[in-house]
Each structure stands twice: as C-alpha cells, then as structure tokens.
Short mmCIF file of all heavy atoms in Angstrom, two decimals:
data_model
loop_
_atom_site.label_atom_id
_atom_site.label_comp_id
_atom_site.label_asym_id
_atom_site.label_seq_id
_atom_site.Cartn_x
_atom_site.Cartn_y
_atom_site.Cartn_z
N SER A 1 -30.18 -1.10 -12.66
CA SER A 1 -29.20 -0.98 -11.59
C SER A 1 -28.97 -2.30 -10.87
O SER A 1 -27.85 -2.67 -10.55
CB SER A 1 -29.64 0.10 -10.59
OG SER A 1 -30.87 -0.27 -9.99
N GLY A 2 -30.07 -3.02 -10.63
CA GLY A 2 -29.93 -4.32 -9.98
C GLY A 2 -29.16 -5.30 -10.84
O GLY A 2 -28.30 -6.02 -10.38
N HIS A 3 -29.47 -5.28 -12.17
CA HIS A 3 -28.74 -6.17 -13.05
C HIS A 3 -27.28 -5.78 -13.17
O HIS A 3 -26.40 -6.62 -13.28
CB HIS A 3 -29.39 -6.15 -14.45
CG HIS A 3 -30.69 -6.89 -14.49
ND1 HIS A 3 -30.77 -8.24 -14.27
CD2 HIS A 3 -31.96 -6.47 -14.74
CE1 HIS A 3 -32.02 -8.64 -14.37
NE2 HIS A 3 -32.77 -7.58 -14.66
N THR A 4 -27.00 -4.46 -13.13
CA THR A 4 -25.63 -4.01 -13.24
C THR A 4 -24.80 -4.46 -12.06
O THR A 4 -23.68 -4.96 -12.20
CB THR A 4 -25.58 -2.47 -13.36
OG1 THR A 4 -26.39 -2.07 -14.46
CG2 THR A 4 -24.15 -2.00 -13.56
N SER A 5 -25.35 -4.28 -10.84
CA SER A 5 -24.62 -4.72 -9.65
C SER A 5 -24.42 -6.23 -9.65
O SER A 5 -23.37 -6.73 -9.26
CB SER A 5 -25.38 -4.30 -8.39
OG SER A 5 -26.65 -4.91 -8.36
N HIS A 6 -25.45 -6.95 -10.17
CA HIS A 6 -25.31 -8.41 -10.23
C HIS A 6 -24.20 -8.79 -11.20
O HIS A 6 -23.41 -9.70 -10.94
CB HIS A 6 -26.64 -9.02 -10.66
CG HIS A 6 -26.63 -10.51 -10.69
ND1 HIS A 6 -26.44 -11.29 -9.58
CD2 HIS A 6 -26.76 -11.38 -11.74
CE1 HIS A 6 -26.48 -12.56 -9.90
NE2 HIS A 6 -26.67 -12.65 -11.22
N ARG A 7 -24.15 -8.06 -12.33
CA ARG A 7 -23.10 -8.36 -13.30
C ARG A 7 -21.73 -8.02 -12.74
O ARG A 7 -20.76 -8.72 -12.97
CB ARG A 7 -23.37 -7.59 -14.60
CG ARG A 7 -24.47 -8.17 -15.44
CD ARG A 7 -24.38 -7.63 -16.87
NE ARG A 7 -24.54 -6.18 -16.88
CZ ARG A 7 -25.71 -5.56 -17.03
NH1 ARG A 7 -26.82 -6.28 -17.13
NH2 ARG A 7 -25.79 -4.24 -17.07
N HIS A 8 -21.64 -6.91 -11.97
CA HIS A 8 -20.36 -6.54 -11.36
C HIS A 8 -19.91 -7.61 -10.38
O HIS A 8 -18.72 -7.95 -10.31
CB HIS A 8 -20.47 -5.19 -10.66
CG HIS A 8 -20.42 -4.04 -11.61
ND1 HIS A 8 -19.52 -3.97 -12.64
CD2 HIS A 8 -21.17 -2.90 -11.67
CE1 HIS A 8 -19.69 -2.84 -13.32
NE2 HIS A 8 -20.70 -2.19 -12.75
N ASP A 9 -20.86 -8.14 -9.59
CA ASP A 9 -20.51 -9.20 -8.64
C ASP A 9 -19.99 -10.42 -9.36
O ASP A 9 -18.99 -11.03 -8.97
CB ASP A 9 -21.73 -9.56 -7.79
CG ASP A 9 -22.14 -8.40 -6.88
OD1 ASP A 9 -21.29 -7.52 -6.66
OD2 ASP A 9 -23.30 -8.40 -6.41
N GLN A 10 -20.71 -10.79 -10.44
CA GLN A 10 -20.27 -11.96 -11.19
C GLN A 10 -18.91 -11.71 -11.83
O GLN A 10 -18.06 -12.59 -11.89
CB GLN A 10 -21.31 -12.29 -12.27
CG GLN A 10 -22.58 -12.89 -11.70
CD GLN A 10 -23.52 -13.30 -12.81
OE1 GLN A 10 -23.40 -12.85 -13.94
NE2 GLN A 10 -24.49 -14.14 -12.48
N HIS A 11 -18.73 -10.46 -12.34
CA HIS A 11 -17.46 -10.13 -12.99
C HIS A 11 -16.30 -10.19 -11.99
O HIS A 11 -15.23 -10.73 -12.28
CB HIS A 11 -17.56 -8.73 -13.59
CG HIS A 11 -16.41 -8.39 -14.49
ND1 HIS A 11 -16.11 -9.11 -15.63
CD2 HIS A 11 -15.47 -7.39 -14.40
CE1 HIS A 11 -15.06 -8.57 -16.22
NE2 HIS A 11 -14.65 -7.53 -15.49
N GLY A 12 -16.55 -9.66 -10.77
CA GLY A 12 -15.51 -9.72 -9.75
C GLY A 12 -15.22 -11.14 -9.33
O GLY A 12 -14.06 -11.52 -9.12
N ALA A 13 -16.28 -11.94 -9.22
CA ALA A 13 -16.08 -13.33 -8.83
C ALA A 13 -15.30 -14.08 -9.88
O ALA A 13 -14.44 -14.92 -9.57
CB ALA A 13 -17.44 -14.00 -8.59
N SER A 14 -15.61 -13.78 -11.16
CA SER A 14 -14.88 -14.47 -12.23
C SER A 14 -13.41 -14.09 -12.21
O SER A 14 -12.53 -14.91 -12.47
CB SER A 14 -15.49 -14.12 -13.59
OG SER A 14 -15.35 -12.73 -13.85
N HIS A 15 -13.12 -12.80 -11.87
CA HIS A 15 -11.72 -12.39 -11.77
C HIS A 15 -11.01 -13.11 -10.63
O HIS A 15 -9.85 -13.53 -10.75
CB HIS A 15 -11.62 -10.87 -11.55
CG HIS A 15 -11.67 -10.11 -12.84
ND1 HIS A 15 -10.74 -10.28 -13.84
CD2 HIS A 15 -12.57 -9.20 -13.29
CE1 HIS A 15 -11.02 -9.48 -14.85
NE2 HIS A 15 -12.13 -8.82 -14.54
N GLU A 16 -11.77 -13.28 -9.52
CA GLU A 16 -11.16 -13.98 -8.39
C GLU A 16 -10.87 -15.42 -8.74
O GLU A 16 -9.84 -15.98 -8.36
CB GLU A 16 -12.09 -13.90 -7.18
CG GLU A 16 -12.22 -12.47 -6.61
CD GLU A 16 -13.22 -12.43 -5.49
OE1 GLU A 16 -13.74 -13.52 -5.15
OE2 GLU A 16 -13.49 -11.35 -4.94
N VAL A 17 -11.78 -16.05 -9.47
CA VAL A 17 -11.56 -17.45 -9.82
C VAL A 17 -10.49 -17.60 -10.88
O VAL A 17 -9.70 -18.54 -10.87
CB VAL A 17 -12.90 -18.06 -10.31
CG1 VAL A 17 -12.69 -19.47 -10.82
CG2 VAL A 17 -13.91 -18.05 -9.17
N SER A 18 -10.46 -16.65 -11.81
CA SER A 18 -9.55 -16.80 -12.94
C SER A 18 -8.10 -16.50 -12.59
O SER A 18 -7.21 -16.80 -13.37
CB SER A 18 -9.98 -15.87 -14.09
OG SER A 18 -9.93 -14.52 -13.65
N HIS A 19 -7.82 -15.88 -11.42
CA HIS A 19 -6.44 -15.58 -11.05
C HIS A 19 -5.68 -16.89 -10.83
O HIS A 19 -6.12 -17.75 -10.06
CB HIS A 19 -6.39 -14.75 -9.78
CG HIS A 19 -6.75 -13.31 -10.05
ND1 HIS A 19 -7.12 -12.44 -9.05
CD2 HIS A 19 -6.80 -12.61 -11.20
CE1 HIS A 19 -7.38 -11.26 -9.57
NE2 HIS A 19 -7.20 -11.35 -10.88
N PRO A 20 -4.56 -17.09 -11.47
CA PRO A 20 -3.79 -18.33 -11.25
C PRO A 20 -3.18 -18.33 -9.85
O PRO A 20 -2.90 -17.28 -9.27
CB PRO A 20 -2.71 -18.28 -12.33
CG PRO A 20 -2.55 -16.81 -12.61
CD PRO A 20 -3.91 -16.21 -12.43
N PRO A 21 -3.00 -19.51 -9.29
CA PRO A 21 -2.40 -19.57 -7.94
C PRO A 21 -0.97 -19.08 -7.98
O PRO A 21 -0.25 -19.22 -8.99
CB PRO A 21 -2.47 -21.07 -7.59
CG PRO A 21 -2.54 -21.75 -8.92
CD PRO A 21 -3.29 -20.83 -9.83
N PRO A 22 -0.48 -18.47 -6.91
CA PRO A 22 0.89 -17.95 -6.89
C PRO A 22 1.89 -19.08 -6.99
O PRO A 22 1.68 -20.18 -6.47
CB PRO A 22 0.99 -17.24 -5.54
CG PRO A 22 -0.07 -17.87 -4.70
CD PRO A 22 -1.17 -18.23 -5.64
N PRO A 23 2.99 -18.87 -7.70
CA PRO A 23 3.99 -19.95 -7.85
C PRO A 23 4.66 -20.25 -6.52
O PRO A 23 4.77 -19.38 -5.65
CB PRO A 23 4.98 -19.35 -8.86
CG PRO A 23 4.82 -17.87 -8.70
CD PRO A 23 3.38 -17.65 -8.37
N PRO A 24 5.07 -21.47 -6.34
CA PRO A 24 5.74 -21.83 -5.08
C PRO A 24 7.07 -21.08 -4.95
O PRO A 24 7.70 -20.75 -5.96
CB PRO A 24 5.96 -23.34 -5.20
CG PRO A 24 5.93 -23.60 -6.67
CD PRO A 24 4.99 -22.61 -7.26
N PRO A 25 7.48 -20.78 -3.76
CA PRO A 25 8.76 -20.06 -3.57
C PRO A 25 9.94 -20.89 -4.06
O PRO A 25 9.95 -22.11 -3.96
CB PRO A 25 8.81 -19.82 -2.06
CG PRO A 25 7.92 -20.87 -1.48
CD PRO A 25 6.84 -21.09 -2.46
N ALA A 26 10.92 -20.20 -4.61
CA ALA A 26 12.11 -20.89 -5.15
C ALA A 26 12.95 -21.49 -4.02
O ALA A 26 13.08 -20.91 -2.94
CB ALA A 26 12.97 -19.89 -5.95
N LYS A 27 13.50 -22.67 -4.28
CA LYS A 27 14.30 -23.35 -3.27
C LYS A 27 15.70 -22.74 -3.21
O LYS A 27 16.25 -22.31 -4.23
CB LYS A 27 14.41 -24.84 -3.58
CG LYS A 27 13.07 -25.57 -3.48
CD LYS A 27 13.25 -27.04 -3.75
CE LYS A 27 11.92 -27.78 -3.60
NZ LYS A 27 12.06 -29.22 -3.85
#
C-alpha cells in the first residue's frame, strides 16, 4: 500500500510535469 501510494504520487507528478504549457493567446 505504501509503495502504491508512492507510485501514484510519482505518476501524478509526472503527469503534471509532462503537460505542455498552454499556447499563447492569439493576437
């Protein structure tokens, strides 16, 4: 259970990092 929660945290963090930045608004 401890390892699972740790993996979930890492998985969520990786998703947060892997999200590309939003494109700039169109002029």
Side-chain angles (χ1 to χ4, degrees):
S1 62
H3 286 297
T4 305
S5 62
H6 183 64
R7 284 197 298 269
H8 282 316
D9 294 341
Q10 288 185 341
H11 191 61
S14 64
H15 275 299
E16 292 176 3
V17 174
S18 61
H19 283 163
K27 294 182 178 180

